[in-house]
Amino acid sequence: MRGRTVVVTLQLIATGGTIASRSTPDGLRAAAPARELLARVPVPEGVTVTPQDVATRGSFAWSLGDAVGVVDMIGKALADADGVVVTHGTDTMEESVFLASLLLEGDRPVVFTGAQRPFDDPAPDGPANLRDAITVAASSLARGHGPLLCFDGQVFAARGVRKVDTLGSHAFDAPGRGPVLRVAAGRVLPLAAPHRVGPLAGVRRGVALPRVDVVSLYVGADGALLRAAMAAGAAGVVLAAFGVGNANPAVVDAVAELGRAGIPVLVCSRVQSGPVVPLYTGGGGADLARAGALFAADLSPWQARLLLSTALVVDPHDPLRVVREYLGTHIPG
């Protein structure tokens, strides 16, 4: 007897973005629904894909609540599918895939993708990206990495992935890390061993995450924006600091002030690649550490913001403990 063909069931969750955008007199607007995106893609044999629309707009217009809601929908879809593919705007995809890695349990593949050229472009890149994402989500090689981002034939783990080009087709990279999988000629090729500790415990799906602001430093920056974040009700702040994690004396004073008020501060770098380390005094990272700030390894400011916001839910009294544990178990590399 012949063996039965194994059918892999996937859910396609469409949220808009450039992959779904058409030209209008006012500019590009997300409009193409999931079924139209899927109609352009050859689905591999033995795979079934059910399309679902959650939103149809640019990810630049999302709120944090919107991102949490999409992750909640992914969790629900995983209950009835072997994997989920999410089409998403590229502007904030690195944040949504990281948030999914913080909140979602289980080992079933979740793969984000999108496009740099719109749906009605003469040479759109969306169909190839979506085809690859479906191929990855249907592959056993996708398990064990946590939520993934698939773009231009390369597949990245959530932590460390960044948008690196505003318009080019190779829009994403993971500086200092690289891709974990590659798609070539319809095959998924492993590039790195799976490594995922799991989501942060104690966060229920659909939870409202507290406000955490990002303050970027520049020559002549002072503590005004840090104090403004505190006055606006931020529960935490992330510094996009200079170089290896430096500031200046005025910013260090403001960080200490936030610490006394019970507002945690994470330090990241405005540089694209490399970790932050508290090395310098005179307003540098060593002084920030003495003021109570925690250095967030090689996390981008945008992903560190989501980590701190989630950690505030896990342990409102000591969120930096949660962040330390996360950074200690999710080793760079």
Short mmCIF file of all heavy atoms in Angstrom, two decimals, residues 98 156-162 173-180 191-192 195 273-274 296-300 303 326-327 330-333:
data_model
loop_
_atom_site.label_atom_id
_atom_site.label_comp_id
_atom_site.label_asym_id
_atom_site.label_seq_id
_atom_site.Cartn_x
_atom_site.Cartn_y
_atom_site.Cartn_z
N PHE A 98 9.11 40.13 17.08
CA PHE A 98 9.74 40.00 18.39
C PHE A 98 8.68 39.91 19.49
O PHE A 98 8.81 39.11 20.42
CB PHE A 98 10.67 41.19 18.64
CG PHE A 98 11.43 41.10 19.93
CD1 PHE A 98 12.42 40.16 20.12
CD2 PHE A 98 11.15 41.97 20.98
CE1 PHE A 98 13.12 40.07 21.31
CE2 PHE A 98 11.85 41.90 22.17
CZ PHE A 98 12.84 40.95 22.34
N PHE A 156 15.04 34.88 9.36
CA PHE A 156 15.70 35.37 10.55
C PHE A 156 14.90 35.04 11.80
O PHE A 156 13.66 35.09 11.79
CB PHE A 156 15.89 36.88 10.48
CG PHE A 156 16.67 37.34 9.28
CD1 PHE A 156 16.02 37.72 8.11
CD2 PHE A 156 18.05 37.37 9.32
CE1 PHE A 156 16.74 38.13 7.00
CE2 PHE A 156 18.79 37.78 8.21
CZ PHE A 156 18.14 38.16 7.04
N ALA A 157 15.61 34.71 12.88
CA ALA A 157 14.96 34.62 14.18
C ALA A 157 14.50 36.01 14.59
O ALA A 157 15.01 37.03 14.12
CB ALA A 157 15.93 34.05 15.21
N ALA A 158 13.52 36.05 15.51
CA ALA A 158 12.92 37.32 15.88
C ALA A 158 13.92 38.26 16.53
O ALA A 158 14.01 39.45 16.16
CB ALA A 158 11.74 37.08 16.82
N ARG A 159 14.68 37.76 17.50
CA ARG A 159 15.61 38.63 18.20
C ARG A 159 16.75 39.04 17.28
O ARG A 159 17.43 38.22 16.68
CB ARG A 159 16.18 37.96 19.45
CG ARG A 159 17.17 38.88 20.15
CD ARG A 159 17.72 38.33 21.44
NE ARG A 159 18.80 39.18 21.90
CZ ARG A 159 19.50 38.99 23.00
NH1 ARG A 159 19.24 37.95 23.76
NH2 ARG A 159 20.46 39.82 23.34
N GLY A 160 16.96 40.33 17.18
CA GLY A 160 18.09 40.86 16.42
C GLY A 160 17.78 41.23 14.99
O GLY A 160 18.59 41.90 14.33
N VAL A 161 16.61 40.85 14.45
CA VAL A 161 16.31 41.19 13.07
C VAL A 161 15.94 42.67 12.97
O VAL A 161 15.29 43.23 13.86
CB VAL A 161 15.18 40.29 12.51
CG1 VAL A 161 13.83 40.56 13.18
CG2 VAL A 161 15.06 40.45 10.99
N ARG A 162 16.42 43.32 11.92
CA ARG A 162 16.17 44.75 11.72
C ARG A 162 15.92 45.05 10.25
O ARG A 162 16.47 44.39 9.37
CB ARG A 162 17.38 45.59 12.16
CG ARG A 162 17.76 45.48 13.62
CD ARG A 162 18.75 46.55 13.97
NE ARG A 162 19.26 46.41 15.32
CZ ARG A 162 19.95 47.35 15.95
NH1 ARG A 162 20.22 48.48 15.33
NH2 ARG A 162 20.39 47.17 17.19
N ASP A 173 17.98 42.25 7.86
CA ASP A 173 19.19 41.53 8.22
C ASP A 173 19.19 41.38 9.73
O ASP A 173 18.35 41.96 10.43
CB ASP A 173 20.43 42.27 7.74
CG ASP A 173 21.61 41.34 7.49
OD1 ASP A 173 21.61 40.21 8.04
OD2 ASP A 173 22.53 41.73 6.75
N ALA A 174 20.12 40.61 10.24
CA ALA A 174 20.30 40.47 11.68
C ALA A 174 21.78 40.72 11.95
O ALA A 174 22.58 39.79 12.00
CB ALA A 174 19.89 39.08 12.17
N PRO A 175 22.16 42.00 12.11
CA PRO A 175 23.57 42.35 12.27
C PRO A 175 24.23 41.59 13.42
O PRO A 175 23.71 41.54 14.53
CB PRO A 175 23.53 43.85 12.54
CG PRO A 175 22.27 44.31 11.88
CD PRO A 175 21.30 43.19 12.09
N GLY A 176 25.35 40.98 13.12
CA GLY A 176 26.07 40.21 14.11
C GLY A 176 25.54 38.80 14.32
O GLY A 176 26.12 38.02 15.08
N ARG A 177 24.46 38.46 13.66
CA ARG A 177 23.82 37.15 13.84
C ARG A 177 23.65 36.41 12.52
O ARG A 177 24.04 35.27 12.39
CB ARG A 177 22.45 37.33 14.50
CG ARG A 177 22.52 37.84 15.93
CD ARG A 177 21.14 38.25 16.43
NE ARG A 177 21.20 38.65 17.83
CZ ARG A 177 21.01 37.84 18.85
NH1 ARG A 177 20.70 36.57 18.62
NH2 ARG A 177 21.09 38.26 20.09
N GLY A 178 22.99 37.05 11.56
CA GLY A 178 22.72 36.41 10.29
C GLY A 178 21.45 35.59 10.30
O GLY A 178 20.78 35.43 11.33
N PRO A 179 21.08 35.02 9.14
CA PRO A 179 19.86 34.22 9.03
C PRO A 179 20.02 32.84 9.66
O PRO A 179 21.14 32.35 9.82
CB PRO A 179 19.64 34.11 7.52
CG PRO A 179 21.01 34.23 6.93
CD PRO A 179 21.77 35.17 7.84
N VAL A 180 18.88 32.23 10.01
CA VAL A 180 18.90 30.87 10.56
C VAL A 180 18.49 29.83 9.53
O VAL A 180 18.80 28.65 9.67
CB VAL A 180 17.99 30.77 11.81
CG1 VAL A 180 18.52 31.66 12.92
CG2 VAL A 180 16.54 31.12 11.48
N LEU A 191 20.73 26.95 8.39
CA LEU A 191 21.98 27.68 8.51
C LEU A 191 22.46 27.78 9.96
O LEU A 191 23.63 28.04 10.21
CB LEU A 191 21.83 29.10 7.95
CG LEU A 191 21.45 29.22 6.47
CD1 LEU A 191 21.30 30.68 6.09
CD2 LEU A 191 22.48 28.54 5.59
N ALA A 192 21.55 27.60 10.91
CA ALA A 192 21.89 27.68 12.33
C ALA A 192 21.02 26.72 13.11
O ALA A 192 19.87 26.45 12.73
CB ALA A 192 21.70 29.10 12.86
N HIS A 195 17.45 27.61 18.47
CA HIS A 195 17.73 28.04 19.85
C HIS A 195 16.62 28.98 20.28
O HIS A 195 16.53 30.11 19.83
CB HIS A 195 19.07 28.74 19.97
CG HIS A 195 19.32 29.31 21.34
ND1 HIS A 195 19.62 28.51 22.42
CD2 HIS A 195 19.27 30.58 21.80
CE1 HIS A 195 19.77 29.28 23.49
NE2 HIS A 195 19.56 30.53 23.14
N SER A 273 24.85 47.64 14.79
CA SER A 273 25.40 46.33 15.12
C SER A 273 26.30 46.41 16.34
O SER A 273 27.03 47.39 16.52
CB SER A 273 26.19 45.77 13.93
OG SER A 273 26.73 44.50 14.23
N GLY A 274 26.26 45.36 17.17
CA GLY A 274 27.16 45.27 18.30
C GLY A 274 26.46 45.46 19.63
O GLY A 274 25.40 46.09 19.71
N ALA A 296 21.21 46.38 27.59
CA ALA A 296 20.37 45.38 26.92
C ALA A 296 21.10 44.62 25.82
O ALA A 296 20.52 44.32 24.78
CB ALA A 296 19.12 46.05 26.37
N ALA A 297 22.39 44.31 26.06
CA ALA A 297 23.16 43.47 25.14
C ALA A 297 23.09 44.03 23.72
O ALA A 297 23.42 45.20 23.50
CB ALA A 297 22.68 42.02 25.21
N ASP A 298 22.65 43.23 22.75
CA ASP A 298 22.61 43.71 21.36
C ASP A 298 21.19 43.94 20.87
O ASP A 298 20.95 44.04 19.66
CB ASP A 298 23.33 42.73 20.43
CG ASP A 298 22.60 41.40 20.30
OD1 ASP A 298 21.78 41.08 21.19
OD2 ASP A 298 22.85 40.67 19.32
N LEU A 299 20.23 44.05 21.78
CA LEU A 299 18.86 44.34 21.36
C LEU A 299 18.77 45.74 20.73
O LEU A 299 19.41 46.68 21.22
CB LEU A 299 17.90 44.28 22.54
CG LEU A 299 17.34 42.93 22.97
CD1 LEU A 299 16.38 43.13 24.12
CD2 LEU A 299 16.64 42.23 21.81
N SER A 300 17.97 45.87 19.70
CA SER A 300 17.69 47.20 19.17
C SER A 300 16.81 47.96 20.17
O SER A 300 16.12 47.35 20.98
CB SER A 300 16.96 47.10 17.82
OG SER A 300 15.62 46.66 18.02
N GLN A 303 13.12 46.69 19.90
CA GLN A 303 12.82 45.40 20.51
C GLN A 303 12.99 45.46 22.02
O GLN A 303 12.22 44.84 22.76
CB GLN A 303 13.70 44.31 19.90
CG GLN A 303 13.36 44.04 18.43
CD GLN A 303 13.99 42.78 17.88
OE1 GLN A 303 14.94 42.24 18.44
NE2 GLN A 303 13.47 42.31 16.75
N TYR A 326 15.97 37.17 30.77
CA TYR A 326 15.80 37.00 29.33
C TYR A 326 17.14 37.14 28.62
O TYR A 326 17.52 36.31 27.78
CB TYR A 326 14.81 38.03 28.77
CG TYR A 326 14.68 37.98 27.27
CD1 TYR A 326 13.73 37.17 26.67
CD2 TYR A 326 15.52 38.73 26.45
CE1 TYR A 326 13.63 37.10 25.28
CE2 TYR A 326 15.43 38.67 25.07
CZ TYR A 326 14.48 37.85 24.49
OH TYR A 326 14.39 37.79 23.13
N LEU A 327 17.86 38.20 28.93
CA LEU A 327 19.15 38.43 28.28
C LEU A 327 20.14 37.31 28.61
O LEU A 327 20.99 36.98 27.78
CB LEU A 327 19.71 39.78 28.71
CG LEU A 327 18.91 41.01 28.27
CD1 LEU A 327 19.51 42.28 28.87
CD2 LEU A 327 18.84 41.11 26.74
N HIS A 330 18.83 34.07 26.43
CA HIS A 330 18.81 34.24 24.97
C HIS A 330 20.17 34.76 24.54
O HIS A 330 20.38 35.95 24.36
CB HIS A 330 17.69 35.19 24.54
CG HIS A 330 16.32 34.65 24.81
ND1 HIS A 330 15.85 34.42 26.09
CD2 HIS A 330 15.32 34.29 23.96
CE1 HIS A 330 14.61 33.96 26.01
NE2 HIS A 330 14.28 33.85 24.75
N ILE A 331 21.12 33.85 24.44
CA ILE A 331 22.49 34.22 24.20
C ILE A 331 22.65 34.72 22.76
O ILE A 331 22.19 34.07 21.81
CB ILE A 331 23.43 33.02 24.43
CG1 ILE A 331 23.21 32.46 25.84
CG2 ILE A 331 24.88 33.41 24.22
CD1 ILE A 331 23.50 33.44 26.94
N PRO A 332 23.33 35.87 22.55
CA PRO A 332 23.58 36.33 21.19
C PRO A 332 24.38 35.30 20.40
O PRO A 332 25.24 34.62 20.95
CB PRO A 332 24.38 37.62 21.39
CG PRO A 332 24.06 38.09 22.76
CD PRO A 332 23.83 36.82 23.56
N GLY A 333 24.09 35.23 19.13
CA GLY A 333 24.85 34.32 18.26
C GLY A 333 23.95 33.45 17.42
O GLY A 333 22.76 33.47 17.52
#
